[in-house]
Amino acid sequence: MKIKNALISVYHKDGLDRILSLLKQHDINILSTGGTQRYIESQGHTVQAVEDITGYPSILDGRVKTLHPGVFGGILARRTEDHLEQLTEHQIVPIDLVIVDLYPFVKTVAESADHQQIIEKIDIGGISLIRAAAKNYESVLVISSQSQYRDLETLLQSGAETSSDQRLSYARKAFLESTRQDLAIIDYLDSQIGDREEFRLGVAGRTELRYGENPHQEASFYGDMSEIMTQLHGKAISYNNLVDIDAAIRLMAEFWQDDPTAAILKHTNSCGVAQRDDLVTAWKDALAGDPVSAFGGIFIVNKPVDLATAQAMNKIFFEVVIAPDYDDDALDVLKTKKNRIILHLHEHKMASTSYKQILNGVIVQKYDQKVETKEGITLATRAKAKKRELDDLLFASICAKHLKSNTIALVKHKQLIGMGCGQTSRVDALKQAIQKAKGFGFKCKGAVMASDAFFPFADCVEIAHKAGIRAVIQPGGSIRDRDSIEYCDKHEMAMYLTGTRHFKH
């Protein structure tokens, strides 16, 4: 299908100049209106005003410009004898190319609280042009976003004709653009009403992954990872890598503004976390928490990686390292392993809502963003924790929050020395944590314990006491809380209640 007439109505003009030159080169007639028309004329190109075709000026503050049979007839007409005769009868020009870039509704919602300004960014004419052109893809090529300008430029460099497959491909993209716009509008209106009756999620950008959780499972990622991080080195990121990376970033977000902190994760669970005055010491102490599980794990830190830290990390095998930055010499060391994935983490805003497909539907919840503070916890026992122990309790509470339930975290001097997670019994989780701590040479005396949920019986504090633990933090809420509190009082243990459960499944 040869392009003879093009209608252009865009918000973003950057990149349009090269397309205009190619349209002129192919003697393609240009139709436009409003700001786009003025821009085209400023570039020295001849343009026919839409108002000359419709006989109506742009009205209602620009809300109505192109909505007219003189425009939409030219877009929707099939190139059949019957339709072409009707176009001739009504003096309508057939339009072969429609270039539209919609108002930036999503950007406006993100940057403005002005309801009227946001409503004005709901595109009516542009979306109508996109849908009309996409419907008639057998005859019309539609460009529906600034992101497609470069593709159109490449296409026009090879000539002024389009294939049916090309037009179908761009029609599909146009309906996707229309859908994303509609979803964004509905989400905004839902936020104004405070209600949401159906599940909707539109995420652009598909990346095929090597496989899913296992090699026989197909998998893809939808979204733009570059908004969160940049991959500096290594093999393609896998499904399991992504799940672990997400868990690592969410854990480290809790420590992002704190002293140098390092964490090691395996299958979304942290097997080592430590906070120190310098990064290399934090790394070494995080590794000491469980050097066995660290093999092949995910490493994350909250400060730029220096040479000493990189050299220490490089001594063991690991899949991924994540940091806010890297010194040049540190990066050279880390790049010595060809497949090692090195990620530069950007300043970003993590999603606040999680989704999971179960049965024949989807469950939706807000992420657990509750953080315990000294002011927000309640002392339940006669004995009080010392300052160091209180700091450790809050540190341990964060560690427990990011481990799979049932979980217990043991911390000493802001170092995770033992953890039990994913257990069907809280007692088993505690025994696992103590066993791990002792197995890697730690003494539990002087350590503190955090639990993600309440103790149904006094057995956990009894086991903890016998191991040398003297301070505990837990949500509380059991009908038998008194049993645990009385045991602590009898043995001079400190217990703090948070009032918040941190189950993680």
PDB file of all heavy atoms in Angstrom, residues 38 53 131 141 218 245 247 261 338 347 411 421 427 469:
ATOM      1  N   ARG A  38       1.636  24.028  13.417  1.00  0.00           N
ATOM      2  CA  ARG A  38       2.565  25.156  13.543  1.00  0.00           C
ATOM      3  C   ARG A  38       4.016  24.668  13.573  1.00  0.00           C
ATOM      4  O   ARG A  38       4.905  25.300  12.982  1.00  0.00           O
ATOM      5  CB  ARG A  38       2.250  25.961  14.815  1.00  0.00           C
ATOM      6  CG  ARG A  38       0.918  26.718  14.723  1.00  0.00           C
ATOM      7  CD  ARG A  38       0.748  27.701  15.879  1.00  0.00           C
ATOM      8  NE  ARG A  38       0.588  27.015  17.158  1.00  0.00           N
ATOM      9  CZ  ARG A  38      -0.572  26.586  17.625  1.00  0.00           C
ATOM     10  NH1 ARG A  38      -1.693  26.761  16.916  1.00  0.00           N
ATOM     11  NH2 ARG A  38      -0.642  25.985  18.801  1.00  0.00           N
ATOM     12  N   ILE A  53     -10.309  21.029   5.614  1.00  0.00           N
ATOM     13  CA  ILE A  53     -11.023  19.837   5.169  1.00  0.00           C
ATOM     14  C   ILE A  53     -12.398  19.758   5.821  1.00  0.00           C
ATOM     15  O   ILE A  53     -13.396  19.465   5.160  1.00  0.00           O
ATOM     16  CB  ILE A  53     -10.203  18.568   5.510  1.00  0.00           C
ATOM     17  CG1 ILE A  53      -8.882  18.567   4.733  1.00  0.00           C
ATOM     18  CG2 ILE A  53     -10.998  17.309   5.208  1.00  0.00           C
ATOM     19  CD1 ILE A  53      -7.948  17.459   5.139  1.00  0.00           C
ATOM     20  N   ARG A 131      -7.405   4.453  17.079  1.00  0.00           N
ATOM     21  CA  ARG A 131      -8.277   3.290  16.981  1.00  0.00           C
ATOM     22  C   ARG A 131      -8.863   3.150  15.571  1.00  0.00           C
ATOM     23  O   ARG A 131      -8.994   2.031  15.044  1.00  0.00           O
ATOM     24  CB  ARG A 131      -9.395   3.379  18.020  1.00  0.00           C
ATOM     25  CG  ARG A 131      -8.885   3.238  19.452  1.00  0.00           C
ATOM     26  CD  ARG A 131     -10.021   3.333  20.463  1.00  0.00           C
ATOM     27  NE  ARG A 131     -10.940   2.210  20.332  1.00  0.00           N
ATOM     28  CZ  ARG A 131     -10.773   1.022  20.910  1.00  0.00           C
ATOM     29  NH1 ARG A 131      -9.711   0.808  21.667  1.00  0.00           N
ATOM     30  NH2 ARG A 131     -11.653   0.047  20.750  1.00  0.00           N
ATOM     31  N   LEU A 141      -1.472   2.746   7.793  1.00  0.00           N
ATOM     32  CA  LEU A 141      -0.408   2.511   8.766  1.00  0.00           C
ATOM     33  C   LEU A 141      -0.584   3.508   9.909  1.00  0.00           C
ATOM     34  O   LEU A 141      -0.733   4.704   9.672  1.00  0.00           O
ATOM     35  CB  LEU A 141       0.965   2.709   8.121  1.00  0.00           C
ATOM     36  CG  LEU A 141       2.173   2.643   9.067  1.00  0.00           C
ATOM     37  CD1 LEU A 141       2.333   1.229   9.625  1.00  0.00           C
ATOM     38  CD2 LEU A 141       3.444   3.094   8.363  1.00  0.00           C
ATOM     39  N   GLU A 218       8.503 -22.254  30.496  1.00  0.00           N
ATOM     40  CA  GLU A 218       8.709 -21.010  29.756  1.00  0.00           C
ATOM     41  C   GLU A 218       8.414 -19.826  30.668  1.00  0.00           C
ATOM     42  O   GLU A 218       7.584 -19.914  31.574  1.00  0.00           O
ATOM     43  CB  GLU A 218       7.799 -20.959  28.526  1.00  0.00           C
ATOM     44  CG  GLU A 218       8.101 -22.027  27.496  1.00  0.00           C
ATOM     45  CD  GLU A 218       7.165 -21.954  26.295  1.00  0.00           C
ATOM     46  OE1 GLU A 218       6.290 -21.053  26.296  1.00  0.00           O
ATOM     47  OE2 GLU A 218       7.310 -22.765  25.378  1.00  0.00           O
ATOM     48  N   ILE A 245      16.442 -11.050  43.138  1.00  0.00           N
ATOM     49  CA  ILE A 245      16.838  -9.642  43.070  1.00  0.00           C
ATOM     50  C   ILE A 245      15.766  -8.753  43.707  1.00  0.00           C
ATOM     51  O   ILE A 245      16.069  -7.827  44.464  1.00  0.00           O
ATOM     52  CB  ILE A 245      17.092  -9.225  41.601  1.00  0.00           C
ATOM     53  CG1 ILE A 245      18.391  -9.865  41.087  1.00  0.00           C
ATOM     54  CG2 ILE A 245      17.152  -7.706  41.457  1.00  0.00           C
ATOM     55  CD1 ILE A 245      18.555  -9.800  39.590  1.00  0.00           C
ATOM     56  N   ALA A 247      13.622  -9.626  46.034  1.00  0.00           N
ATOM     57  CA  ALA A 247      13.683  -9.837  47.489  1.00  0.00           C
ATOM     58  C   ALA A 247      14.866  -9.095  48.097  1.00  0.00           C
ATOM     59  O   ALA A 247      14.751  -8.495  49.186  1.00  0.00           O
ATOM     60  CB  ALA A 247      13.775 -11.329  47.792  1.00  0.00           C
ATOM     61  N   THR A 261      25.894  -1.662  54.983  1.00  0.00           N
ATOM     62  CA  THR A 261      25.181  -2.913  55.253  1.00  0.00           C
ATOM     63  C   THR A 261      25.312  -3.844  54.060  1.00  0.00           C
ATOM     64  O   THR A 261      25.213  -3.398  52.906  1.00  0.00           O
ATOM     65  CB  THR A 261      23.684  -2.644  55.528  1.00  0.00           C
ATOM     66  OG1 THR A 261      23.564  -1.665  56.562  1.00  0.00           O
ATOM     67  CG2 THR A 261      22.964  -3.913  55.938  1.00  0.00           C
ATOM     68  N   LYS A 338      33.064 -14.182  33.814  1.00  0.00           N
ATOM     69  CA  LYS A 338      32.312 -13.821  32.611  1.00  0.00           C
ATOM     70  C   LYS A 338      30.806 -13.777  32.817  1.00  0.00           C
ATOM     71  O   LYS A 338      30.128 -12.877  32.316  1.00  0.00           O
ATOM     72  CB  LYS A 338      32.659 -14.817  31.492  1.00  0.00           C
ATOM     73  CG  LYS A 338      31.958 -14.529  30.174  1.00  0.00           C
ATOM     74  CD  LYS A 338      32.388 -15.512  29.089  1.00  0.00           C
ATOM     75  CE  LYS A 338      31.879 -16.913  29.388  1.00  0.00           C
ATOM     76  NZ  LYS A 338      32.138 -17.857  28.265  1.00  0.00           N
ATOM     77  N   GLU A 347      18.245   5.086  42.041  1.00  0.00           N
ATOM     78  CA  GLU A 347      17.214   5.618  42.927  1.00  0.00           C
ATOM     79  C   GLU A 347      15.875   5.311  42.263  1.00  0.00           C
ATOM     80  O   GLU A 347      15.683   5.606  41.087  1.00  0.00           O
ATOM     81  CB  GLU A 347      17.388   7.130  43.096  1.00  0.00           C
ATOM     82  CG  GLU A 347      18.605   7.525  43.913  1.00  0.00           C
ATOM     83  CD  GLU A 347      18.407   7.264  45.403  1.00  0.00           C
ATOM     84  OE1 GLU A 347      17.240   7.151  45.828  1.00  0.00           O
ATOM     85  OE2 GLU A 347      19.410   7.174  46.126  1.00  0.00           O
ATOM     86  N   VAL A 411      20.178 -12.306  66.144  1.00  0.00           N
ATOM     87  CA  VAL A 411      21.100 -11.214  65.786  1.00  0.00           C
ATOM     88  C   VAL A 411      21.972 -10.866  66.973  1.00  0.00           C
ATOM     89  O   VAL A 411      21.522 -10.856  68.126  1.00  0.00           O
ATOM     90  CB  VAL A 411      20.302  -9.964  65.315  1.00  0.00           C
ATOM     91  CG1 VAL A 411      21.196  -8.724  65.279  1.00  0.00           C
ATOM     92  CG2 VAL A 411      19.679 -10.215  63.959  1.00  0.00           C
ATOM     93  N   CYS A 421      13.781 -20.596  58.801  1.00  0.00           N
ATOM     94  CA  CYS A 421      12.687 -20.036  57.997  1.00  0.00           C
ATOM     95  C   CYS A 421      11.967 -21.140  57.221  1.00  0.00           C
ATOM     96  O   CYS A 421      12.506 -22.230  57.011  1.00  0.00           O
ATOM     97  CB  CYS A 421      13.203 -18.976  57.029  1.00  0.00           C
ATOM     98  SG  CYS A 421      14.299 -19.598  55.753  1.00  0.00           S
ATOM     99  N   VAL A 427       8.814 -23.602  66.761  1.00  0.00           N
ATOM    100  CA  VAL A 427       9.857 -24.268  67.552  1.00  0.00           C
ATOM    101  C   VAL A 427      10.949 -24.801  66.626  1.00  0.00           C
ATOM    102  O   VAL A 427      12.148 -24.663  66.894  1.00  0.00           O
ATOM    103  CB  VAL A 427       9.256 -25.404  68.408  1.00  0.00           C
ATOM    104  CG1 VAL A 427      10.348 -26.277  69.013  1.00  0.00           C
ATOM    105  CG2 VAL A 427       8.370 -24.830  69.503  1.00  0.00           C
ATOM    106  N   ILE A 469      20.019 -16.567  75.041  1.00  0.00           N
ATOM    107  CA  ILE A 469      19.375 -15.356  74.513  1.00  0.00           C
ATOM    108  C   ILE A 469      18.654 -14.645  75.650  1.00  0.00           C
ATOM    109  O   ILE A 469      17.952 -15.272  76.452  1.00  0.00           O
ATOM    110  CB  ILE A 469      18.397 -15.724  73.370  1.00  0.00           C
ATOM    111  CG1 ILE A 469      19.199 -16.258  72.173  1.00  0.00           C
ATOM    112  CG2 ILE A 469      17.540 -14.534  72.962  1.00  0.00           C
ATOM    113  CD1 ILE A 469      18.376 -17.014  71.162  1.00  0.00           C
TER     114      ILE A 469
END
